[in-house]
Each structure stands twice: as C-alpha cells, then as structure tokens.
Amino acid sequence: MKTKIFLLIILCLLLTACSSAPDEYAQDFFAMDTFMSITAYGGNAEDGVKSAMRRISELELKLSVTNKNSELYAINRGEVGEDTAELVKFALDIADRTGGALDPTIYPVLRAWGFTTDEYRVPSPEEISALLENVGHERVKVDGNTISTDEGMMLDLGAVAKGYAGDETERILRENGVTSALINLGGNIQLVGSKPDGTDWRLGVKDPAGDGNIGVLTVSDCAVVTSGSYERYFTADGKVYCHIIDPSSGYPADNGLLSVTIVADEGRLCDALSTALFVMGEERALEFWRENKNFDVILITDNAEVLITEGIADKFQLDGSHKNLKVVTVN
Ligand code: ADP
Ligand code: MG
C-alpha cells in the first residue's frame, strides 16, 4: 500500500514537473500558507520557475508576522532588508491613500478575533477599543531600512505579501526569457504575456456565495487579485465574521460586498487595493476608483449585483448559470 501511494506521488510529481511542450515548465507547491502554481513557456522556463520558487520561500521567511525568525516579528525598532523596507513603505503609502482602509498595523485586532490561530472568538467592545490603541499606520516610521513603531504595535504584510511575491515571480520569469506564464499564488493571479498561442487567458471569477465561477475574465499581461469574505470566516450567534478587518471599527468588514477583484499591472497594487476596497464598501470603493483609475475592479454585492469598471467590462462574460446576477458597467 505504502509503495503504491509512493509511486502515485512520484507519478503526480512527474506529471506536474515535466509538461508536454519542450519550452513549458509547470510546478505546484505550497508556500505562504496557500497552494501555488506556476506554468511558464519560452526561454529558460524551468530555471525561471525554480528560481521564482526559491524567491517566494525567501520572501515567506522574511515577511511573515508570525514567524519568530522573520524580519518583522515583534519589531518595534530595527533594521530590515531591502524587500521588507520596500513593502512596508508601499503598504504605508496605500494606507495613506485609502484613508486607512488598508492598515498594516491591524494585526493586534486580527489576532484577538482568532484569525491568526483559527481559534475564533468575538472580542468584547472594550477589548477591541483597547487594542485599537495599538493600531495606526501613521505612527510607523521608515527611515532608510530602519523601521520604528510605538511599543505594542505590530506590522502585518498579509494583505500585500502575495502580490509582491507575484511581482517578483513575474520579474524572475521575464529575466529567464519566459514570454508567457500563468502564475497562481493562492488565487492571486499574475499573467505574463498572453497564452502561448497568442490568445488571452481565460480566468474564472469565483462565485463568492457558492462553488464554481460566476463568469470568465479574458485578459493578458496583468495581475488579477480577489479579496472576499468567503476566503476565511467564522459564524457566531448567526453572524458571519470574515478575516478582513475594518480598521476604523476593529470589526470584520461587513458592508454589502462579497468580493472585490482588482485588475492592474502590478500584483502588489492589486493585492493592497482588493483588501482596502473590500473594507471601503461599494460607494467609497467606486469613488476611489474614479479618483485614481490606475486599476479596474469587479465588485460583487450581497444584492446580486456585479459592478465592473469600464476598462474591463467587455472582457467579462457572465456564466449562463448565474443569469440572476445583474451586471452593471461603472464609468
Ligand atoms: P488573502 O490573503 O486571504 O488572499 P487579503 O489579501 O485580502 O486576502 O488579505 C487578508 C489579510 O490581510 C488578513 O489575513 C490579514 O492578515 C490582513 N488584514 C486584514 N484586514 C486588513 C486591513 N484592513 N489592512 C491590512 N491588512 C489586513
Ligand atoms: Mg490583499
């Protein structure tokens, strides 16, 4: 029995590692607490995928808030590496621009809700307001590579780390001559070029209220990242609490959105904004889009609407089984 399972595992590894075309290389792996896969075509696809995987492991070690050996673990004042400093600066900038909807210092509150350990609980209002004393992106200082926060604060890059890993993967693949690739980092999608046959990639847009997809997005050469309440949540007293916290209240975001998908050039921007716009809710999210327009967005609301900004409206096709959803183009 053991041998059989062993052979099966070897077979699966062979199947995923050696793909058909000579210039194609695909690999599935687990990192940053999620399943990832990279399929690359052209150039030194195999070398590219392997060094991207090494880079992702390296980033995982550096960036995790829970890993005692990471650069961010319990930092109150200290020097960090180039990557960490850059990503902290990026997260702080987006925090600023989104009025604190994204806040990389939300961790003490997130932890109290049990989202870091899966031991879920509803903290008392007093506990939440006490913990919010230790939240505030504007109190983090970055001077070169030295980061300082107030005592009791913690930095969590969970909302942007996978996006950054996607950007790094894309860079490494391109450096290896890869001309076409589908990078899937736990649902964060990043596309290099178009499909090897020159046509656009077809990505499923997940149904946030059930299994399967509500439709297909046909795009190339961009990043596509979704944040949704369905990804991690728990139910207590009939109420659903999700893993994205509204920093203005300390409670899980709950404002009528089921999911937010961002389409833009950079993975890190998509990742940061998918979380931030999920916190903002429909009205503020669309206002933010109108003020910036350096990205596109799909909002799925709890009253069965799919709101799509004009840049990608004609690239989305609703699935026949979801005709109950009302698709609205936003401009
Ligand atoms: P996922 O990582 O599940 O794909 P997100 O990119 O939306 O989803 O990131 C959610 C993670 O970001 C949470 O698990 C938590 O670590 C962190 N987080 C939750 N709320 C916020 C917030 N308002 N600002 C910044 N980070 C947050
Ligand atoms: Mg995010």
Side-chain angles (χ1 to χ4, degrees):
M1 187 62 192
K2 260 192 182 153
T3 349
K4 258 192 194 161
I5 292 178
F6 183 65
L7 284 176
L8 197 68
I9 292 173
I10 294 281
L11 189 68
C12 291
L13 286 176
L14 285 176
L15 283 177
T16 48
C18 321
S19 317
S20 48
D23 65 344
E24 172 183 341
Y25 189 80
Q27 186 78 62
D28 297 332
F29 54 103
F30 190 85
M32 295 183 154
D33 207 22
T34 188
F35 289 101
M36 302 188 162
S37 71
I38 307 176
T39 306
Y41 306 84
N44 302 316
E46 180 169 350
D47 290 348
V49 172
K50 285 181 174 164
S51 54
M53 284 169 62
R54 281 195 294 275
R55 179 75 174 122
I56 292 171
S57 307
E58 182 188 39
L59 289 175
E60 176 178 25
L61 285 177
K62 282 188 192 172
L63 301 177
S64 164
V65 63
T66 48
N67 176 355
K68 290 197 166 69
N69 299 316
S70 82
E71 295 188 341
L72 282 182
Y73 184 77
I75 196 168
N76 281 124
R77 190 184 153 77
E79 186 148 350
V80 296
E82 210 57 59
D83 288 319
T84 310
E86 187 182 331
L87 197 52
V88 169
K89 277 184 218 159
F90 172 78
L92 291 174
D93 178 47
I94 300 286
D96 225 27
R97 287 168 45 198
T98 59
L102 184 88
D103 193 324
T105 67
I106 195 66
Y107 191 76
V109 178
L110 188 86
R111 187 170 55 179
W113 284 91
F115 286 112
T116 56
T117 51
D118 293 348
E119 284 164 24
Y120 302 125
R121 55 190 279 274
V122 179
S124 69
E126 295 75 29
E127 186 181 351
I128 290 176
S129 50
L131 289 169
L132 282 174
E133 298 280 318
N134 289 327
V135 175
H137 61 94
E138 65 289 337
R139 284 188 277 148
V140 181
K141 302 275 175 296
V142 188
D143 180 11
N145 286 6
T146 301
I147 295 180
S148 42
T149 68
D150 291 345
E151 195 69 37
M153 290 179 77
M154 283 183 94
L155 280 167
D156 170 19
L157 297 176
V160 289
K162 272 189 283 167
Y164 185 68
D167 291 335
E168 283 297 279
T169 300
E170 173 171 350
R171 178 181 64 77
I172 290 166
L173 293 180
R174 286 191 194 275
E175 278 171 11
N176 280 276
V178 168
T179 47
S180 166
L182 172 64
I183 303 161
N184 181 351
L185 309 185
N188 279 33
I189 305 290
Q190 201 135 343
L191 305 168
V192 178
S194 50
K195 283 201 289 187
D197 67 4
T199 61
D200 282 333
W201 302 92
R202 290 168 55 79
L203 304 179
V205 177
K206 256 202 178 155
D207 178 1
D211 296 330
N213 298 324
I214 63 148
V216 174
L217 194 60
T218 312
V219 285
S220 284
D221 238 334
C222 61
V224 182
V225 176
T226 301
S227 286
S229 46
Y230 59 87
E231 284 176 35
R232 203 172 331 141
Y233 63 91
F234 70 97
T235 313
D237 305 325
K239 219 177 139 23
V240 177
Y241 298 102
C242 76
H243 73 308
I244 298 176
I245 306 285
D246 181 345
S248 69
S249 66
Y251 280 77
D254 175 24
N255 45 35
L257 293 181
L258 299 181
S259 75
V260 175
T261 298
I262 307 283
V263 181
D265 290 341
E266 276 192 320
R268 71 193 81 177
L269 182 70
C270 290
D271 204 355
L273 292 184
S274 68
T275 308
L277 269 61
F278 188 85
V279 168
M280 287 181 184
E282 175 181 332
E283 216 169 298
R284 271 178 71 204
L286 294 181
E287 197 180 312
F288 184 83
W289 173 76
R290 289 192 180 98
E291 283 163 7
N292 291 277
K293 293 209 173 172
N294 57 338
F295 63 94
D296 275 292
V297 57
I298 305 177
L299 303 178
I300 305 182
T301 73
D302 63 4
N303 58 2
E305 284 194 329
V306 182
L307 309 172
I308 308 187
T309 55
E310 55 194 359
I312 51 168
D314 62 345
K315 298 179 169 146
F316 174 77
Q317 179 83 50
L318 189 70
D319 191 85
S321 60
H322 283 89
K323 288 285 187 244
N324 60 312
L325 295 174
K326 185 175 163 213
V327 182
V328 181
T329 302
V330 178
N331 35 39

